[in-house]
Amino acid sequence: MPVLWTICGVKLSPSALIPGTPTLITPALTWDIFCRVIDNHGDLGVCWRLSVDLAQRGHTVRLWVDDASALAWMAPQSYTGVEVHTWPNDAALQAFAQDPAFAVGDVVIEAFGCELPEAFQALMVRGTVPVWINLEYLSAEAYVARSHGLASPVMSGPAPGTTKWFYFPGFTPDTGGLLREPNLQDRQATFDRAAWLKALALDKPIAAHEQLISLFCYEPAALSQLLKQLSQASQPTRLLVTQGRPSAAVVAATQALNMPNSGKGQLHVSHLPYLSQTEFDHLLWACDLNFVRGEDSLVRALWAGQPFVWHIYPQDDLAHHDKLHAFCQALQMPQSLQDVHNAWNGLSGAKLPAWTPSDLAVWQAWSAQTRQLLQTQTDLSTALIGFAAQKR
Ligand code: TRH
């Protein structure tokens, strides 16, 4: 339960005391966060993490989502301060409109450009107008810093005369930052890797000499090459394959390679069940190399401080090519790791480069350094709270 201080009847959040907070004292706010699950798990994954992060800082969140089913495994425990609601239908919105006690939050977030229901927009102008924020996708491209914090005046619809603000997460101080909850470093400091691995229910216990690689991806064309390379490598590898598309892709690739589903040679494949977000973090902290995808797991891989390979969400117009390139450049990724990224994402047309232990050591040093650099920046929730306080 977050600690709150009350001064002159105003609840104050502990984020007021977090270094890097833009304002010295920030009032505890109420937030309405709207999320539509387009595909995969990132939309809900980001919104849930943001909701919990805000609640940890003493704020109160209503998370409105059109499909909350993935929370059953992603967040099996509820979190005090976060209420999950079904995306409001017409009947619910009518009931809110007739209920004088229904109050829209101090801040309304439409995540990733999901449009707010018109009837909810009407409720937003019934009393004090909330700060209306469109939380955008994460990118390292130059337009992010240019567009972060821009106002979009609302001219028509049920809430004319109001303003929608564009909020862009990012990797530099002139962007909205990255989600990084205040207790993350403490959690990492007390994480017992050996005990966690021992408790993992696997088809075969992990041996001390196995290198550990986690796999969370879509269907990369280079997957078969990865499996083949690992099976022929000099060092034994345990590939911990996450549930869903990655697991199905590995089954298909092993079949195409005529390889047993559990791997062969130096490679042993273990399929994992769906993990909670907390356990997913532990997986990334425990492995020597992490293959991640999308948006949220990329950020978590950065905080894990371990080498990682990012499978970027593929877009039909190939916009992900520029996005990947910008990310590699912005974070000054070692060339050998960029080569792996290009092949893994099908950009280079080249074969997946095999890496050596000395490559891995270079990637390790870079990952640790990158984490350290990013940790010096204001995190997304702190900055968002400051932004909302400033626009109220
Ligand atoms: O699932 P994703 O590919 O989501 C994507 C991206 O967000 C992409 O940018 C967006 O356009 C698209 O969705 C619609 O990858 P991402 O973002 O890493 O989200 C996965 C979430 O699932 C993350 O919060 C971690 C969580 N997860 C678990 O908690 N446990 C698990 O076992 C697994 C496999 C994932």
Side-chain angles (χ1 to χ4, degrees), residues 38-46 49 73-75 112 137-138 215-216 218 242-246 272-281 283 292-298 300 311 313 323:
I38 308 291
D39 60 4
N40 300 309
H41 311 306
D43 306 283
L44 186 53
V46 169
R49 269 200 216 278
W73 49 267
M74 206 186 268
F112 311 122
Y137 286 108
L138 173 65
L215 183 71
F216 182 45
Y218 305 109
T242 56
Q243 200 37 249
R245 287 174 70 172
L272 299 173
Y274 276 119
L275 305 173
S276 67
Q277 278 190 335
T278 308
E279 288 292 79
F280 185 78
D281 282 348
L283 174 70
V292 289
R293 76 180 199 200
E295 176 161 334
D296 186 57
S297 59
L298 170 68
R300 303 318 284 186
H311 197 191
Y313 185 75
K323 192 170 168 176

Side-chain angles (χ1 to χ4, degrees), residues 198-332:
K198 208 167 155 200
L200 205 57
L202 296 177
D203 54 322
K204 184 178 156 194
I206 292 170
H209 59 290
E210 276 180 298
Q211 90 169 324
L212 301 186
I213 301 183
S214 73
L215 183 71
F216 182 45
C217 58
Y218 305 109
E219 292 79 23
L223 181 58
S224 308
Q225 290 172 45
L226 176 72
L227 298 176
K228 217 165 145 187
Q229 275 177 22
L230 293 176
S231 71
Q232 294 167 356
S234 53
Q235 195 193 358
T237 294
R238 176 66 60 103
L239 189 65
L240 296 169
V241 182
T242 56
Q243 200 37 249
R245 287 174 70 172
S247 186
V250 167
V251 170
T254 48
Q255 276 168 8
L257 286 167
N258 250 333
M259 189 188 270
N261 193 227
S262 58
K264 74 169 187 188
Q266 294 284 55
L267 171 66
H268 186 87
V269 177
S270 293
H271 292 261
L272 299 173
Y274 276 119
L275 305 173
S276 67
Q277 278 190 335
T278 308
E279 288 292 79
F280 185 78
D281 282 348
H282 293 160
L283 174 70
L284 301 184
W285 302 349
C287 286
D288 304 297
L289 175 64
N290 294 308
F291 283 80
V292 289
R293 76 180 199 200
E295 176 161 334
D296 186 57
S297 59
L298 170 68
V299 176
R300 303 318 284 186
L302 283 163
W303 297 142
Q306 297 289 74
F308 64 86
V309 179
W310 181 31
H311 197 191
I312 191 165
Y313 185 75
Q315 286 163 277
D316 290 340
D317 58 2
L318 303 184
H320 59 289
H321 289 201
D322 287 346
K323 192 170 168 176
L324 179 66
H325 187 66
F327 174 75
C328 296
Q329 294 301 305
L331 297 186
Q332 298 181 11

